[in-house]
Amino acid sequence: MTYVKGNSIFYIGLTIISIIWGINFGISRWAMEVFTAEVFTLLRFGLAVPILFLILYKLEGSIKVEKRDLLKLVIIGFFGVTILELLVMYSIKYTTLANASLLNVAPWPIFAALFAPLFTKEVMTKRIVLGGAIALIGVTLIIGGGSDNLDLSGQYMLGNLLALAVSLIGALFNLACMPLMKKYSPLRVSTWYILFGSLFLIPFTLGGWSDIHWSTLTLPVVGAILYNVILCTVVAFLVWNASMNRVGATKANFYRYVVPAAAAVAGALFFNEPIMIGQIIGAIIIMSGLVIIGAEKKQLEKEGTVDSQQKVAN
């Protein structure tokens, strides 16, 4: 039972980070009125880099990684930060918000489960499949039940494909971190790939700095930047990677289904967007599915305890 109690804090962490990311859909709108999407993304990750390295040095006494692992971190940073974040932006540009929300999120855990055996020794259990399927239904209800309707017609094909690529690359990005996190701490891995991802973002921002009117930096805009740097990047990446490293990438990524539910709440709080009854039902269904996934280890442990008792009795 000790193991399960120890893991419960990581499931709570995954849920909280997904809420933080979901709320950011609303908060980031304030900053996007001042900055281009590319510049804002660079600010988010670039400003987080010195903070991460300082934390890393203070907590672990060094910042080094072996030279043979640097190329892996470069590749992870390029695809997991630079390409992934740019794909998110362009998928939203070339398809509807509802389409992007669904395709950016829903297939991600499924891809993670499919490709997990290539990177880890994780096993897909019936409980994870059941919980994931239930949570997926909830996600579909939240996104499909919003004010923006899903539209999978041909005119949005490019955007839809880009959104689907987000899920695929995002899942592979998470899985590629797992072997490195067996060797280094999640903090060290996150710090280095965010550094490289930020450097690769710089060329995409060169045309955007001249359009910034710095006099328009209001308190909400500054708050949005700080929220993105501190909570959405520094705290979120560290907690998410540490939790994913503990519970496994397959189970952890299903908790991304909390993101659209939190985004719907943020829209209601900040922009008076209505929350439909279908979205409320969807949120309840998502949490039900995640409870099933989170209880999977507990169930296995109970079964193992019973087997052990039977062996002793025999």
Side-chain angles (χ1 to χ4, degrees), residues 101-111 136 139-140 143 167 254 257:
S101 299
L102 180 63
L103 295 173
N104 281 351
V105 175
W108 189 315
I110 298 171
F111 284 134
L136 179 58
V139 170
T140 305
I143 296 172
S167 285
F254 278 109
Y257 287 167

Side-chain angles (χ1 to χ4, degrees), residues 103-287:
L103 295 173
N104 281 351
V105 175
W108 189 315
I110 298 171
F111 284 134
L114 289 173
F115 292 106
L118 299 178
F119 298 87
T120 70
K121 296 181 180 180
E122 295 176 34
V123 177
M124 175 65 71
T125 65
K126 292 180 180 179
R127 183 176 292 271
I128 294 176
V129 172
L130 175 61
I134 291 173
L136 179 58
I137 293 172
V139 170
T140 305
L141 282 174
I142 287 177
I143 296 172
S147 56
D148 294 327
N149 294 323
L150 293 173
D151 186 347
L152 302 179
S153 60
Q155 63 177 319
Y156 297 118
M157 182 62 68
L158 175 59
N160 292 341
L161 289 175
L162 292 176
L164 189 62
V166 168
S167 285
L168 176 59
I169 293 175
L172 292 173
F173 155 59
N174 287 153
L175 291 168
C177 293
M178 297 297 284
L180 283 171
M181 289 194 294
K182 300 301 180 185
K183 184 175 183 180
Y184 305 105
S185 69
L187 170 59
R188 194 169 297 240
V189 173
S190 302
T191 299
W192 277 97
Y193 75 62
I194 289 176
L195 167 64
F196 292 124
S198 300
L199 292 175
F200 285 122
L201 276 169
I202 292 174
F204 295 96
T205 67
L206 295 181
W209 295 100
S210 59
D211 297 329
I212 300 173
H213 299 286
W214 296 101
S215 59
T216 60
L217 283 182
T218 61
L219 187 60
V221 173
V222 174
I225 295 172
L226 292 176
Y227 183 92
N228 272 267
V229 173
I230 304 299
L231 289 180
C232 289
T233 306
V234 175
V235 174
F237 275 73
L238 297 187
V239 173
W240 184 274
N241 284 337
S243 300
M244 182 175 66
N245 188 43
R246 181 64 180 265
V247 306
T250 299
K251 286 192 285 186
N253 274 293
F254 278 109
Y255 280 74
R256 290 183 181 275
Y257 287 167
V258 176
V259 172
V265 173
L269 290 176
F270 301 135
F271 301 99
N272 296 319
E273 295 178 358
I275 295 182
M276 309 299 183
I277 184 65
Q279 293 177 303
I280 296 175
I281 295 173
I284 295 172
I285 293 174
I286 287 174
M287 296 313 299

